[in-house]
Amino acid sequence: MLAVALAWWLAVQGRLLAGGVLSPDLYWRLWPGLALFVAAYALHGLYPGFGLNPAEELRRTTVSTSLVHLTVGAATFIVRGAEVYSRAVFLVAWGLALVFVPLARAAVRHAFSRKRWWGYPVLILGAGKTGELLARGLQQTPGLGLRPVAFLDDDPAKPARVVGLPVLGGIDLAPRIAREAGITHAVVAMPGAGRERLLQVVERCGACFSHVLVVPDLFGLSSLWVAARDLQGTVALEVRQQLLLPGPRLLKRVLDLAATLALGLFSLPVVALVAVAVKLDSPGPVFFAQTRIGKGGRKFRAWKFRTMVQDAEEVLARYLQEHPELREEWLQDQKLRRDPRVTRVGRFLRRTSLDELPQLWNVLRGEMSLVGPRPIVDAEVPRYGPRFALYAQVLPGITGLWQVSGRNDTTYEERVELDSYYVRNWSPWLDLYILARTVWVVLTARGAY
């Protein structure tokens, strides 16, 4: 609500500074209308909004914010107040609110997600591998608001603690723990259990927990855009294949072109300065092109500003020979934290990601997208294994989940998993979330070297 109020205040002040003639008091009288935003966010499940994936949260905030603004605009037109209120203020406030509301929610989450009172305590039923992976994932993403506190498992051979959480006993203890500890959320992480046993556990949990989540034995399936459907009493999971829908694919291309043209024009002075710096820093061309694998396995030349010396391979071979202890690091991730091939200007360009600006040309040519998997070379295909088929379904991107999830601080296997997750769960909302996160990652230079 404060974010919406700030958006409108800035819109009014901006119009006044631009020489507009309007009465600020006329807008301050609209403050009771903020209740409409509260109602819309509540109806869309954004209060408190725990357990929402960031891309889904962005979708809900955008839709609800836009619906309220459209409603207010229509009501103003109906009561013939359109000539009183400034259309410029309305449109600017709407645009600012679309930015400020997600930013405000992210700031609150960043400030308080580590507090003990944040989120809902969650009891995990099943201390096996699935439960362990689930608990670790929730612990690593406290902003999600689902805080695992303990396990229950019928297997007496299970250790006393799993990922730092106690295993309190058998699943029959669930009702008592829910009642005594006031826990309202439970996750059934028993994908290997038989149908009858699973139904028994779920029905029993439904009597003592207001929210019960069941983890099915469907690892590797799309997880973002899945909806439960009732088919004549049979539960079915509908997996929406966004990649096969022409509307979202067209929207992605339009977003690519619009953003690339705007960013390209804005960055022309930067491109000129970087080109001069690269040329003055070391001998060699300004740009560097490398053959990469694109959508459908087609090869293309990905462009970057040159960040290495000319005889890079010879320098690397000599360096690894002199420092054999670093050979394993190179073989594992094809990266070195202190790469001797990188020039002084190159280190700055990599840290700020400015070396990738020329790839905007690849986006315009339809060879890359703004967001997508990290473009790979032929030598990396074996490391993707069967997941290469997923990689080849989309255009590689200038940025992606890997870049906003740690970049060079992640292992190669984690990169492959992140690329696979992106393809399985792709949507325009996920792209917008990654683009927003990219700005923060670039400013903080997280994982860049």
Side-chain angles (χ1 to χ4, degrees), residues 195-278:
R195 175 180 173 277
E196 294 298 329
R197 174 59 176 158
L198 197 59
L199 284 175
Q200 181 186 22
V201 170
V202 172
E203 288 177 357
R204 186 164 187 179
C205 287
C208 51
F209 297 97
S210 59
H211 296 77
V212 179
L213 304 176
V214 180
V215 179
D217 189 12
L218 293 171
F219 281 99
L221 191 69
S222 169
S223 55
L224 265 185
W225 313 113
V226 177
R229 293 285 183 263
D230 180 3
L231 302 181
Q232 295 297 313
T234 301
V235 177
L237 296 180
E238 178 189 6
V239 182
R240 284 170 281 178
Q241 297 293 341
Q242 301 280 353
L243 287 170
L244 300 180
L245 300 176
R249 287 166 56 189
L250 177 61
L251 179 60
K252 180 177 176 67
R253 184 56 183 159
V254 170
L255 179 66
D256 275 347
L257 291 175
T260 299
L261 289 171
L263 184 60
L265 291 174
F266 176 77
S267 63
L268 280 177
V270 179
V271 170
L273 289 174
V274 171
V276 172
V278 170

Side-chain angles (χ1 to χ4, degrees), residues 17-64:
L17 289 174
V21 179
L22 52 84
S23 172
D25 290 341
L26 195 64
Y27 291 90
W28 306 147
R29 294 172 191 166
L30 297 176
W31 69 265
L34 291 174
L36 291 175
F37 290 94
V38 176
Y41 295 148
L43 288 173
H44 281 85
L46 290 168
Y47 290 140
F50 295 137
L52 286 179
N53 180 278
E56 173 62 14
E57 182 178 342
L58 179 61
R59 185 189 70 83
R60 294 189 188 191
T61 55
T62 301
V63 170
S64 52

Side-chain angles (χ1 to χ4, degrees), residues 144-156:
L144 201 59
L146 298 178
R147 180 165 44 87
V149 294
F151 289 94
L152 292 181
D153 199 292
D154 289 334
D155 185 359

Side-chain angles (χ1 to χ4, degrees), residues 438-446:
T438 298
V439 176
W440 173 253
V441 169
V442 169
L443 291 176
T444 59
R446 180 189 172 199

